[in-house]
Amino acid sequence: MNDTIQDTVRRVPFEARTKKPKQRWHFKQTWPLHLLVLPAVIVALIFQYGPMFGIIMAFQDFKPWLGFIESEFVGLKHFITMFEYNYARQVIWNTFVISILKLIFGLIVPLTFALMLNEVYHMRFKRTVQTIVYLPYFLSWVILGGMLIDILSPSGGVVNQLLGLIGVEPIFFLGSNDWFRTTVVVSDLWKETGFNTIVFLAAITVVNPNLYEAAVVDGANRWKQTWHITLPAMRPIIIVVATLALGNILNAGFDQIFNLYNPLVYETGDIIDTYVYRVGLVSGDFSYGTAVGLFKSVISLILIVIGYRLAYKYANWRIF
């Protein structure tokens, strides 16, 4: 009997024995799910992929009355102009500086705050602090911008009134190139710290308590427990948060800058998005504005790919 089975197996080709059965797509069973997702697909095609055809304007001397077809093609003219124009380079530099400062402090401050808050054992106080810190995240920059304009006003603002009590002259935070970037970073922390703090607190809660008990037996104090147990356990989520932030490194926060900046701080506060808005929409130079926006998108895509590869290599995290 065994010899017969072995002879039969030998006669079957090796490819047939190792070939996996095909998975059939049963559309008759899954069509309700496809129908459910169809509206979202249509909206994405219309509002996300449809406008991408406008990228062609970056390579044209686009005239609205001529349209895409009859407008003259100029190749890389607008990209060359962008790099030859000193102010465009300054805008790119401003975007990098503001974004990197936001990325660095947007990780350090929430992480430190989460570690400190984790040491608080009075639950009512802990939840109250979490709520207060998290509340600005739900407010738009239109509201927060108006609040900051009043709070930081050189004439009557709360901050300058407090500075006046210690003999400091009023500071025009939103009108000084020396202070605008600092104001942007600090106000961004004010709004975003609460959300990232909750993310890090959630990562702390999954750390095995037995590790802390073993560390206490070995004589480790709270600082050593944090350094050798908590932070290594949080490394994957820290890398994931940093990776997601890296994809937005050239955004620098259009909503925030647009609601806070003014011509006095264009030198240090003007970023790519606000520059594209003024050049492309306000001034009507659609081709040049599209070229600058396309440059930003390409660089952002490269940074996202690099960030995802680093996250997969060091944290074994990936989306696809």
Side-chain angles (χ1 to χ4, degrees), residues 34-95:
H34 292 84
L35 185 62
L36 185 65
V37 79
L38 182 61
V41 173
I42 294 175
V43 170
L45 291 175
I46 295 175
F47 294 101
Q48 293 184 331
Y49 290 92
M52 290 180 67
F53 181 75
I55 292 176
I56 195 175
M57 287 190 295
F59 307 96
Q60 291 180 322
D61 186 11
F62 179 74
K63 306 296 183 184
W65 55 88
L66 295 178
F68 295 112
I69 299 178
E70 298 184 7
S71 294
E72 179 186 1
F73 278 86
V74 294
L76 300 178
K77 172 185 174 182
H78 300 297
F79 295 94
I80 297 174
T81 302
M82 177 180 64
F83 288 105
E84 291 178 346
Y85 191 26
N86 291 332
Y87 187 76
R89 294 200 297 269
Q90 180 64 38
V91 166
I92 296 173
W93 173 249
N94 292 340
T95 306

Side-chain angles (χ1 to χ4, degrees), residues 171-242:
I171 300 174
F172 194 4
F173 291 97
L174 298 179
S176 171
N177 284 309
D178 295 330
W179 284 97
F180 185 76
R181 287 177 181 170
T182 303
T183 304
V184 167
V185 174
V186 173
S187 60
D188 182 74
L189 290 175
W190 176 36
K191 186 178 188 300
E192 303 292 338
T193 294
F195 177 80
N196 289 333
T197 298
I198 291 179
V199 173
F200 291 135
L201 280 174
I204 294 175
T205 58
V206 300
V207 180
N208 190 349
N210 295 330
L211 298 176
Y212 294 110
E213 295 175 2
V216 171
V217 173
D218 292 337
N221 55 26
R222 294 300 299 177
W223 166 249
K224 290 184 178 180
Q225 293 176 37
T226 300
W227 185 257
H228 295 288
I229 298 176
T230 307
L231 288 177
M234 295 177 64
R235 187 179 67 174
I237 191 64
I238 294 173
I239 294 176
V240 169
V241 172

Side-chain angles (χ1 to χ4, degrees), residues 97-162:
V97 171
I98 293 175
S99 299
I100 291 174
L101 289 175
K102 285 185 177 182
L103 175 62
I104 294 174
F105 289 101
L107 284 175
I108 295 176
V109 174
L111 178 60
T112 304
F113 188 72
L115 293 173
M116 295 172 61
L117 201 59
N118 186 57
E119 300 299 321
V120 177
Y121 295 99
H122 194 286
M123 294 306 298
R124 180 173 296 180
F125 176 77
K126 183 176 181 179
R127 291 172 181 172
T128 302
V129 172
Q130 279 184 268
T131 303
I132 294 174
V133 175
Y134 193 37
L135 183 60
Y137 181 78
F138 295 98
L139 302 178
S140 69
W141 275 114
V142 176
I143 298 175
L144 293 179
M147 294 172 60
L148 287 171
I149 290 173
D150 291 335
I151 293 172
L152 301 177
S153 173
S155 57
V158 175
V159 174
N160 279 298
Q161 288 183 5
L162 295 175

